[in-house]
Amino acid sequence: MDPVFDNLDLFWSGFLQTLGFIAWAAVGSLILGTLIAACRVSPVAPARAFGAAYVTLVRNVPLTVVLFFFAFGIPELGINRSFYFFGICSLIVYTAAFVCEALRSGINSVSAGQAEAARAIGLTFTQSLGQVILPQAFRSTIPPLGSVLIAMVKNSAVVGAFGVSGDLFAVYRGLTGAGGLQAFPVLIGVAVGFLIITIPAGITLAVLERKLAIAR
Amino acid sequence: MRFLRTKATLATLGLALSLAACGGDGDKDDDVAKNTDFAAGTTMAKIADAGKLKVGTKFDQPGFGLVGLSDEPEGFDVEVAKIIAAELGIDEDQIEWTESPSAVREDLIESGDVDLVVATYTINDERKMRITFAGPYYVAGQQLMVKSDNDTITGPEDIKANPDMKVCSVDGSTPAENIKQYLADPKQLVTFDVYDKCAAALGNGQVDIVTTDNVILLGFASKSDGDFKLVGEQFTEEPYGIGIKKGDVEFCEFINDTLKDHADDYVEAWEDTAGEIEGTQTPELPEADTCA
């Protein structure tokens, strides 16, 4: 494991890069996913159609295609931003579709009586969704949302192939390519880097689930 | 009648194909060494006995090692491997090609999955710790490629002066490491997994410069219909070597002698492959390093 310990500083900077990246993507995809879930259950037909179209389109396209679209398609339209920015955007767009569906399953699990009661006391759709239904939906959706976010963390390894340099996976390619180090121990180092992010995330989610679970 | 005609067509076709096959192999077969006799226990003897040579090369490097629609790798590296194979008494059909991307080349050699690696493989000290290099058989040099209308960049020194410009190279490659000293800010370096993507990013303006070995850049520039051009001089020397198992001095010397003895084949190999790219010069075989 010398290749790993000799290059801990590189691994550390790669780790921070990956961490920053997925923090943005996690926040962004939770927000966008929630908005799209709201569209999918809204009483407005065009909004529902948009939500359904978004999920169908994005969920069924591989992440690499989404990344390709952002990295090479959008600049073609004359919009030039950094690949780091494009990488975060594509992770958000991709993950939001899954967040939306996880959340929708939670919304479906909230009993119809809750929505009816909210309407009965005069709340608008936005109010009843935001104050009554979504808070309950989130609480019952923590395990599937956790899986979605952990999958997102792992998906972020692909982003390095689309112009983002310095992340954990780029460290692997640097050390084994020009550095001539053995691939196996370096890959173990990369795997450990990801585990350091995903395992505590899983534990946090489990704690949250215990704290917030609704007894029915 | 129709049956007969079909049969005749097929027969003609078959004949044509077999003739073509003969034409392709005929002249090469003569070069394959007959009655090879190697000292027992050497790598050469083992390979000659096995009757096949396992070669690692790149499958995505135009001019050097590229697998196109024909499913067979083509390029200068491939031809160099064929010269070595012929001297070992191995027909080119008996060569087993393995794709060897930069990250796993040393691993492939150490595990014995390949007998040798010819894959735009720059000789450097880190790599020498794990494997032995025969050669060099070619000396490339790193250069810059920009869009044709870019007059700001004339050499690597100009990159520091233009910190808003982005340079593209392949992640983990020697050129990506080399260019770092010319950057004003590490964020100027953009890396992809293959050079194709760098060229695409240069085309749509996401990056301003692509850097790697001149021969690879020339390939892209000649394909770009005048959109891209090379600027400045070569600012590094990248001697390409042939990777073999660490410490196999006999095999290393055998490869060096083979290349030296086949100067004509060497020139021919270049002219049929990388030499076809506009702007390349036929190299002279460099003086081989001492095998160790």
Side-chain angles (χ1 to χ4, degrees):
Chain A
M1 290 311 288
D2 284 348
V4 178
F5 293 115
D6 293 347
N7 294 290
L8 268 185
D9 50 335
L10 262 178
F11 274 95
W12 177 240
S13 71
F15 177 78
L16 288 182
Q17 167 91 280
T18 296
L19 196 66
F21 201 79
I22 60 177
W24 282 109
V27 172
S29 57
L30 279 178
I31 295 172
L32 184 64
T34 310
L35 288 176
I36 292 165
C39 282
R40 289 210 73 174
V41 298
S42 95
V44 187
R48 275 204 307 277
F50 166 77
Y54 182 96
V55 170
T56 314
L57 193 72
V58 175
R59 192 174 55 169
N60 292 306
V61 167
L63 174 62
T64 39
V65 176
V66 179
L67 277 160
F68 221 97
F69 175 76
F70 270 94
F72 296 105
I74 302 233
E76 213 66 59
L77 305 172
I79 304 165
N80 283 2
R81 304 297 298 271
S82 71
F83 283 109
Y84 187 80
F85 178 81
F86 282 147
I88 293 175
C89 284
S90 35
L91 267 188
I92 290 176
V93 164
Y94 182 77
T95 314
F98 295 89
V99 169
C100 163
E101 288 304 272
L103 209 52
R104 205 164 60 90
S105 76
I107 293 174
N108 287 339
S109 76
V110 177
S111 71
Q114 295 281 329
E116 284 162 8
R119 259 208 308 278
I121 59 169
L123 295 183
T124 64
F125 168 73
T126 323
Q127 283 171 330
S128 57
L129 191 70
Q131 290 168 27
V132 178
I133 300 169
L134 272 183
Q136 297 184 58
F138 263 116
R139 292 163 79 169
S140 56
T141 324
I142 287 171
L145 269 186
S147 300
V148 167
L149 289 181
I150 286 173
M152 193 269 294
V153 173
K154 296 186 289 176
N155 284 339
S156 75
V158 185
V159 175
F162 290 85
V164 176
S165 28
D167 69 329
L168 261 181
F169 225 73
V171 170
Y172 157 73
R173 282 195 295 263
L175 290 179
T176 54
L181 294 177
Q182 280 169 311
F184 189 60
V186 178
L187 267 179
I188 290 181
V190 172
V192 168
F194 275 100
L195 289 178
I196 292 175
I197 301 175
T198 48
I199 289 183
I203 293 173
T204 314
L205 286 162
V207 171
L208 269 179
E209 191 193 345
R210 264 205 307 280
K211 283 231 157 103
L212 298 177
I214 322 166
R216 283 215 176 89
Chain B
M1 196 52 205
R2 168 177 285 179
F3 172 68
L4 272 179
R5 205 165 55 209
T6 320
K7 210 171 167 186
T9 318
L10 281 177
T12 323
L13 201 70
L15 193 65
L17 279 175
S18 53
L19 277 176
C22 288
D25 283 339
D27 50 347
K28 297 274 180 192
D29 269 356
D30 300 342
D31 298 338
V32 175
K34 306 256 161 44
N35 309 321
T36 50
D37 187 25
F38 300 110
T42 58
T43 312
M44 292 81 84
K46 273 183 226 153
I47 294 169
D49 284 348
K52 64 172 184 184
L53 182 67
K54 294 176 284 180
V55 180
T57 192
K58 294 266 181 78
F59 282 8
D60 59 354
Q61 213 99 99
F64 278 77
L66 181 73
V67 171
L69 297 172
S70 67
D71 230 29
E72 282 284 311
E74 292 165 2
F76 184 56
D77 283 341
V78 172
E79 294 306 319
V80 166
K82 284 178 185 168
I83 295 175
I84 299 165
E87 192 66 17
L88 286 163
I90 287 167
D91 196 82
E92 60 182 73
D93 303 339
Q94 251 54 61
I95 303 178
E96 227 179 76
W97 302 102
T98 304
E99 182 170 20
S100 58
S102 303
V104 297
R105 287 182 294 205
E106 295 84 14
D107 289 330
L108 284 174
I109 296 169
E110 281 182 344
S111 66
D113 286 336
V114 297
D115 296 315
L116 50 91
V117 167
V118 203
T120 59
Y121 203 174
T122 301
I123 299 174
N124 75 21
D125 290 341
E126 284 93 358
R127 290 168 178 163
K128 270 190 198 161
M129 312 251 272
R130 293 177 64 195
I131 60 157
T132 289
F133 280 107
Y137 62 96
Y138 180 71
V139 182
Q142 192 170 345
Q143 225 174 330
L144 306 177
M145 181 170 77
V146 296
K147 273 199 163 172
S148 300
D149 55 8
N150 183 336
D151 296 323
T152 327
I153 301 289
T154 53
E157 290 75 22
D158 293 333
I159 303 175
K160 242 182 202 138
N162 295 279
D164 53 326
M165 292 213 169
K166 295 246 187 314
V167 190
C168 189
S169 196
V170 160
D171 221 354
S173 64
T174 319
E177 292 299 316
N178 286 338
I179 199 70
K180 282 182 182 162
Q181 55 178 306
Y182 295 102
L183 304 178
D185 176 359
K187 287 210 175 86
Q188 277 186 283
L189 180 65
V190 171
T191 53
F192 286 105
D193 52 348
V194 287
Y195 288 112
D196 266 355
K197 288 184 187 158
C198 278
L202 181 64
N204 66 26
Q206 274 289 97
V207 302
D208 308 279
I209 307 158
V210 178
T211 185
T212 179
D213 298 346
N214 54 339
V215 279
I216 301 172
L217 292 179
L218 280 168
F220 285 114
S222 73
K223 276 197 299 185
S224 73
D225 289 332
D227 272 0
F228 305 152
K229 64 176 181 190
L230 269 67
V231 291
E233 299 289 311
Q234 301 178 7
F235 55 95
T236 63
E237 282 205 346
E238 307 293 339
Y240 289 171
I242 297 167
I244 56 172
K245 270 227 168 82
K246 177 133 183 86
D248 197 344
V249 176
E250 282 164 322
F251 193 31
C252 170
E253 279 167 354
F254 168 80
I255 292 173
N256 287 343
D257 291 344
T258 302
L259 290 177
K260 214 171 170 183
D261 295 346
H262 288 78
D264 292 350
D265 295 330
Y266 176 84
V267 169
E268 195 185 321
W270 176 268
E271 283 168 355
D272 288 348
T273 56
E276 290 189 333
I277 299 169
E278 207 179 310
T280 53
Q281 285 164 350
T282 307
E284 254 179 60
L285 182 69
E287 193 70 31
D289 295 344
T290 335
C291 290

